[in-house]
Amino acid sequence: MTYDNLVNTHGKNAANLWRQICKMGGFGDVQPVSGACLDLTGLDSKVKKAVEDLLKVKGE
Amino acid sequence: MAGTATNFDTTTIIVDRTAQIWAGLAVPGAAARLTLDADGTPDATANPTAIHLGHTVEGTTITIQSALTKHFVDELEAPFKASVDATEMMFEGRFAQVMDEDVLKQITAPFGTYATSSGYKEFSIGRKTLTYTSLALIFPTPMDSTKFAVAHIYNGLNEAGLTYSVSRKGMADTPFKFVAYGLSTRAAGDTVGKYWWQIS
């Protein structure tokens, strides 16, 4: 998932969500900047589900 | 008494392999690796912002090293212990495609801002917010050319600047030195990058 897409879908909440996802997935402190990208593919299924749920809840 | 097995294995020697250097990759999560397609390129779904950086003059050198401080005491002539000052990972080489804006965006990341409009492409030079990129060197393994080895810097920045000469006889090229910066909140043993390869 790209930070740019997150900005498109979640607007001002994107940076906060990005940091939460980085923490949940063990990505580290990847900068929430244009061009940044996280690979959710290799995440544990429970973590992946939690990330998807997070994006749904705060999606609007 | 018995002999001990030797480890001569020419299949693990890398010769005659072409590597690809990529930037703009997705950072993998904890305990995960870069997602590859079967052809050895980054999977386009998992890495939608991946950019291939094209030809190099003489390939790419990978360096992964630690700087150690040795500790001494007066009574011993040899160091009794070491501590790690720094762990570095870097890719170095020379890019040939010096008029490729995708290459230049990575090369000039610390100081260049790209723009384009009708009739021009440009890089303005000056102060900017530093943005790091996730880079990987990917090549077929010597053991099996359908499997791939990957050296992945999670968070890198070019330190070599942009410098090339234009001449009638010579080929222009510019050096690169992508140095890893740690992602501090990852697992302690996995903050810098990963060197791994596929097996059957």
Side-chain angles (χ1 to χ4, degrees), chain A residues 5 13 19 24 29 49:
Chain A
N5 281 348
N13 202 22
R19 291 191 184 95
M24 292 162 71
D29 48 350
K49 176 76 166 45

PDB file of all heavy atoms in Angstrom, chain A residues 5 13 19 24 29 49:
ATOM      1  N   ASN A   5      -1.890   6.630  -1.830  1.00  0.00           N
ATOM      2  CA  ASN A   5      -3.249   6.076  -1.854  1.00  0.00           C
ATOM      3  C   ASN A   5      -3.962   6.302  -0.529  1.00  0.00           C
ATOM      4  O   ASN A   5      -5.159   6.581  -0.491  1.00  0.00           O
ATOM      5  CB  ASN A   5      -3.208   4.569  -2.161  1.00  0.00           C
ATOM      6  CG  ASN A   5      -3.009   4.298  -3.632  1.00  0.00           C
ATOM      7  OD1 ASN A   5      -3.123   5.200  -4.457  1.00  0.00           O
ATOM      8  ND2 ASN A   5      -2.678   3.074  -3.980  1.00  0.00           N
ATOM      9  N   ASN A  13      -6.185  12.101   7.976  1.00  0.00           N
ATOM     10  CA  ASN A  13      -5.906  11.026   8.937  1.00  0.00           C
ATOM     11  C   ASN A  13      -4.831  10.066   8.423  1.00  0.00           C
ATOM     12  O   ASN A  13      -4.434   9.130   9.130  1.00  0.00           O
ATOM     13  CB  ASN A  13      -7.201  10.261   9.223  1.00  0.00           C
ATOM     14  CG  ASN A  13      -7.160   9.528  10.544  1.00  0.00           C
ATOM     15  OD1 ASN A  13      -6.368   9.893  11.424  1.00  0.00           O
ATOM     16  ND2 ASN A  13      -7.963   8.504  10.680  1.00  0.00           N
ATOM     17  N   ARG A  19       1.296   5.539  10.540  1.00  0.00           N
ATOM     18  CA  ARG A  19       2.154   5.223  11.701  1.00  0.00           C
ATOM     19  C   ARG A  19       1.599   4.024  12.465  1.00  0.00           C
ATOM     20  O   ARG A  19       2.357   3.175  12.938  1.00  0.00           O
ATOM     21  CB  ARG A  19       2.279   6.445  12.605  1.00  0.00           C
ATOM     22  CG  ARG A  19       3.088   7.567  11.975  1.00  0.00           C
ATOM     23  CD  ARG A  19       3.434   8.677  12.954  1.00  0.00           C
ATOM     24  NE  ARG A  19       4.125   9.758  12.269  1.00  0.00           N
ATOM     25  CZ  ARG A  19       3.511  10.851  11.795  1.00  0.00           C
ATOM     26  NH1 ARG A  19       2.213  11.006  11.942  1.00  0.00           N
ATOM     27  NH2 ARG A  19       4.200  11.785  11.164  1.00  0.00           N
ATOM     28  N   MET A  24       1.882  -1.803  13.737  1.00  0.00           N
ATOM     29  CA  MET A  24       1.204  -3.107  13.757  1.00  0.00           C
ATOM     30  C   MET A  24       1.968  -4.152  12.949  1.00  0.00           C
ATOM     31  O   MET A  24       2.075  -5.309  13.343  1.00  0.00           O
ATOM     32  CB  MET A  24      -0.215  -2.964  13.177  1.00  0.00           C
ATOM     33  CG  MET A  24      -1.152  -2.144  14.032  1.00  0.00           C
ATOM     34  SD  MET A  24      -2.603  -1.571  13.113  1.00  0.00           S
ATOM     35  CE  MET A  24      -3.492  -3.083  12.887  1.00  0.00           C
ATOM     36  N   ASP A  29       9.876   2.867  11.362  1.00  0.00           N
ATOM     37  CA  ASP A  29       9.422   4.243  11.188  1.00  0.00           C
ATOM     38  C   ASP A  29       9.612   4.725   9.753  1.00  0.00           C
ATOM     39  O   ASP A  29      10.383   5.645   9.493  1.00  0.00           O
ATOM     40  CB  ASP A  29      10.105   5.182  12.185  1.00  0.00           C
ATOM     41  CG  ASP A  29      11.611   4.989  12.232  1.00  0.00           C
ATOM     42  OD1 ASP A  29      12.100   4.008  11.630  1.00  0.00           O
ATOM     43  OD2 ASP A  29      12.305   5.800  12.852  1.00  0.00           O
ATOM     44  N   LYS A  49      -5.431  -8.753   8.789  1.00  0.00           N
ATOM     45  CA  LYS A  49      -6.857  -8.523   9.041  1.00  0.00           C
ATOM     46  C   LYS A  49      -7.047  -7.264   9.896  1.00  0.00           C
ATOM     47  O   LYS A  49      -7.950  -6.445   9.633  1.00  0.00           O
ATOM     48  CB  LYS A  49      -7.439  -9.752   9.748  1.00  0.00           C
ATOM     49  CG  LYS A  49      -8.883  -9.635  10.170  1.00  0.00           C
ATOM     50  CD  LYS A  49      -9.815  -9.787   8.976  1.00  0.00           C
ATOM     51  CE  LYS A  49     -11.266 -10.021   9.356  1.00  0.00           C
ATOM     52  NZ  LYS A  49     -11.808  -9.198  10.399  1.00  0.00           N
TER      53      LYS A  49
END
